[in-house]
Amino acid sequence: MVKKNTCIFISGEGSNLKTLINNSRNHNFPIKISLVISNNANAKGILLAKKNSIPFIIIDTKRRYFENFILANLKKYKISLICLAGYMKVLSKKFLNSYGKMIINIHPSLLPKFKGLNTFERILKSDEKKTGCTVHFVNEKLDAGMIIIQKIFFIEKDDNEEILKKKTQKLEHKAFSEAIIKIFRYS
Ligand code: GAR
């Protein structure tokens, strides 16, 4: 199998990145993590990239042409899939059109419910009985691209934000890899 060169975008902890790195060691897993990009120089996920000898780039989203810099690197590393794994910035329409290849995102809710930020806080304030995570294709609308996979669990009465996050991320770590396998199933 020829693995697809993949770039993972992160902003923080990198627990999804960690699972993807581990799974990509399996020769049947369709991607190779060739590059990690972070908009946060203090993201713990960068340490994971370092530890696993994966090239990484820290970007400054305040710089005018930062997206061109990203595009040049995606080309350099022959990236054919971008995974947004806790990347907390929105990519511009221009960037999406210029890249033109697959971009997928993981979101900690059952989309189309609870798009955007502060997801767990909003879920707890609602009267939802269940929640979960979604992996979806990225388009120019926030958290609105075609859904690839969702995983669900029931909210319990003692669940707080921290517990919801823990339960959601446990499912995310399975969902992201399953989504990747699904999109490359016939390639
Ligand atoms: C994940 O739970 C992901 O769903 C969320 O950030 C977390 C990153 O965790 N993403 C968003 O909220 C995007 N809107 P990680 O850094 O440990 O993978």
Side-chain angles (χ1 to χ4, degrees), residues 12-17 85-88 105-108 116-117 119 143 169 172:
E13 195 70 25
S15 69
N16 280 287
L17 170 65
Y87 182 65
M88 305 311 270
N105 177 47
I106 192 148
H107 186 78
L117 300 175
T119 324
D143 298 329
Q169 290 200 334
E172 286 187 348

Side-chain angles (χ1 to χ4, degrees), residues 134-187:
T134 305
V135 183
H136 65 94
F137 289 107
V138 172
N139 63 17
E140 65 266 27
K141 292 198 183 120
L142 182 72
D143 298 329
M146 197 178 89
I147 291 171
I148 304 163
I149 210 166
Q150 289 189 309
K151 287 198 181 282
I152 298 171
F153 67 91
F154 284 93
I155 300 168
E156 289 174 82
K157 80 170 179 1
D158 292 334
D159 284 353
N160 55 29
E161 279 185 47
E162 200 182 320
I163 296 172
L164 274 196
K165 182 176 171 187
K166 227 178 195 163
K167 289 181 177 174
T168 303
Q169 290 200 334
K170 199 169 172 201
L171 293 182
E172 286 187 348
H173 299 156
K174 293 190 183 123
F176 223 154
S177 293
E178 285 178 23
I180 290 168
I181 290 169
K182 194 171 170 188
I183 59 182
F184 291 121
R185 195 161 28 187
Y186 301 111
S187 68

